[in-house]
Amino acid sequence: MTRDARDEKLRSRIGGIAQFYDRTGRMPSFSEIGELAGLRSKNAVSKLVLKLERLRVLGRDGKGRLIPGSIAFPVRMLGTVKAGFPSPAEEELADTLSLDELLIRNRDATFMLRVSGDSMTGAGILPGDMVLVDKGQTPRSGDIVVAEVDGEWTMKYLRRRGNSVTLLPANPRYKPIRPRNELRIGGVVTAVVRKYR
Amino acid sequence: MTRDARDEKLRSRIGGIAQFYDRTGRMPSFSEIGELAGLRSKNAVSKLVLKLERLRVLGRDGKGRLIPGSIAFPVRMLGTVKAGFPSPAEEELADTLSLDELLIRNRDATFMLRVSGDSMTGAGILPGDMVLVDKGQTPRSGDIVVAEVDGEWTMKYLRRRGNSVTLLPANPRYKPIRPRNELRIGGVVTAVVRKYR
DNA sequence: CTTGACAGTGAACAATCGTTCACCTTATAC
DNA sequence: GTATAAGGTGAACGATTGTTCACTGTCAAG
């Protein structure tokens, strides 16, 4: 068997395991890996797993049980748009990551809201976009926050000057808001997500 | 024990299991759930798991093995910004989802690129943003694509009129590109992701 | 031609798995 | 007050787990 064919075989096996994990959300057992890879012997699976551990595709936790490695991170990260698409050989070296891990720090305090209205268009937040809001973080000046002003909820830049607070839209057609009464801040916008199709 | 206290206990147990799954990427075994929940008897765990199955927090696959339910989807989805933050009671009813699942259709063909340059600012894609690019989808007119024009990679709107192809920036300071030679399209932009802090 | 290294089969093994049984305690409902 | 359900302990059990050992082909390098 040629080197390329062996590489391809290994790759398809990794793909099979990744698919299994994607589909079920749990790691396959050794026998199941055997079925996926077409191996009858658990020893063969053992050797395969060892190899995948070295490649960081899989890992082990403190108790020696199989945990996902790079297969848990679905997106391959490349460089910049200008760099374009590297060759397949380079692609393998690229880092992989999970969007959940990238964007969510505190899962219990994080919510997703759909944006309505165009008051933040200037900041690249369009109506229909989704924003992740963290209730736990303390809002700093310059943050985009979700706040309740005089009974209505909006999303605006927060500006603090001394002890005065202003809510600044990112659209010149709207005016800054200087809340008269209390200002309830629901959370800090930590990320924006837009889906095209 | 009051009803509220029992609810709170169950909630913290769900949280414990979710944390375990977050941390390790695998489902805990029954004994491990016991440790997490402070239960010495596996029978107690069995009953707890049954309850969590009914709540769709956990599930079973075809082989009867534990798979994650809603705990695999880290973000709670709420309504619109205008709706603001619902009361805690309503929060529980909200859907949960995973950003990976939401944004990635074809994981093998999807890459993430960092945006450099401001030629798509008008479409709400700012320099520094990250875009998900699907190499597998066939580009349609109106899509945002990553393409190589005359040796350089850019991101632009794709416009097809008959059999002429134009690349349209979303910034008036740049001009439309009508590729003279061949046009290599790397992929279709399926999502935009921006992280604030 | 020989010699390793690699990829795989098959079987034995203790450890751990999840299921199930009998039983106990404590609230809540009637 | 007395059922009754809910929440829990503890132990027994067969099934399945992952490790390990001895062994067999097969290819490529020396």
Side-chain angles (χ1 to χ4, degrees), chain B residues 22-43:
Chain B
D22 253 29
R23 204 176 53 242
T24 65
R26 60 165 246 254
M27 290 300 289
S29 72
F30 273 49
S31 341
E32 287 168 330
I33 294 178
E35 288 173 30
L36 292 170
L39 295 172
R40 304 168 174 231
S41 161
K42 281 213 255 182
N43 179 38

Side-chain angles (χ1 to χ4, degrees), chain B residues 16 31 38 44 55 60 77 83 101 121 145 156 177 183 194:
Chain B
S31 341
L55 292 173
R60 305 264 189 165
M77 183 69 189
E101 266 199 24
T121 299
V145 298
K156 297 279 183 304
I177 300 176
L183 170 68
R194 176 162 55 239

Side-chain angles (χ1 to χ4, degrees), chain A residues 76-94:
Chain A
R76 271 173 284 187
M77 182 67 188
L78 298 183
T80 64
V81 170
K82 270 197 180 151
F85 289 91
S87 68
E90 288 172 272
E91 280 182 15
E92 299 171 41
L93 299 175

Side-chain angles (χ1 to χ4, degrees), chain B residues 86-129:
Chain B
S87 69
E90 289 172 272
E91 280 181 13
E92 299 171 39
L93 299 174
D95 290 326
T96 64
L97 58 81
S98 152
L99 294 172
D100 289 328
E101 266 199 24
L102 174 69
L103 299 178
I104 303 169
R105 190 176 309 169
N106 186 352
R107 73 172 271 168
D108 289 330
T110 300
F111 295 81
M112 193 151 88
L113 292 172
R114 188 172 288 278
V115 177
S116 63
D118 59 354
S119 77
M120 291 303 282
T121 299
I125 303 180
L126 313 180
D129 288 1

Side-chain angles (χ1 to χ4, degrees), chain B residues 42-195:
Chain B
K42 281 213 255 182
N43 179 38
V45 176
S46 194
K47 289 177 184 173
L48 173 62
V49 167
L50 199 67
K51 187 179 297 178
L52 297 187
E53 282 183 59
R54 291 209 197 87
L55 292 173
R56 308 273 165 184
V57 172
L58 305 177
R60 305 264 189 165
D61 64 6
K63 291 185 181 164
R65 305 193 38 147
L66 237 47
I67 55 174
S70 63
I71 58 168
F73 308 113
V75 202
R76 270 173 286 187
M77 183 69 189
L78 299 182
T80 63
V81 170
K82 270 198 180 149
F85 290 91
S87 69
E90 289 172 272
E91 280 181 13
E92 299 171 39
L93 299 174
D95 290 326
T96 64
L97 58 81
S98 152
L99 294 172
D100 289 328
E101 266 199 24
L102 174 69
L103 299 178
I104 303 169
R105 190 176 309 169
N106 186 352
R107 73 172 271 168
D108 289 330
T110 300
F111 295 81
M112 193 151 88
L113 292 172
R114 188 172 288 278
V115 177
S116 63
D118 59 354
S119 77
M120 291 303 282
T121 299
I125 303 180
L126 313 180
D129 288 1
M130 270 120 88
V131 289
L132 292 180
V133 180
D134 193 329
K135 293 205 295 186
Q137 302 198 32
T138 52
R140 297 192 290 246
S141 189
D143 285 344
I144 298 175
V145 298
V146 175
E148 186 185 23
V149 192
D150 304 325
E152 195 157 333
W153 286 93
T154 40
M155 189 170 64
K156 297 279 183 304
Y157 278 116
L158 178 75
R159 189 165 66 182
R160 274 212 171 87
R161 283 253 180 89
N163 50 7
S164 90
V165 175
T166 317
L167 291 178
L168 232 49
N171 187 334
R173 298 201 292 106
Y174 295 86
K175 286 181 188 164
I177 300 176
R178 197 173 308 259
R180 53 197 80 199
N181 305 326
E182 94 291 29
L183 170 68
R184 269 180 58 206
I185 293 183
V188 178
V189 172
T190 57
V192 181
V193 167
R194 176 162 55 239
K195 192 183 176 186

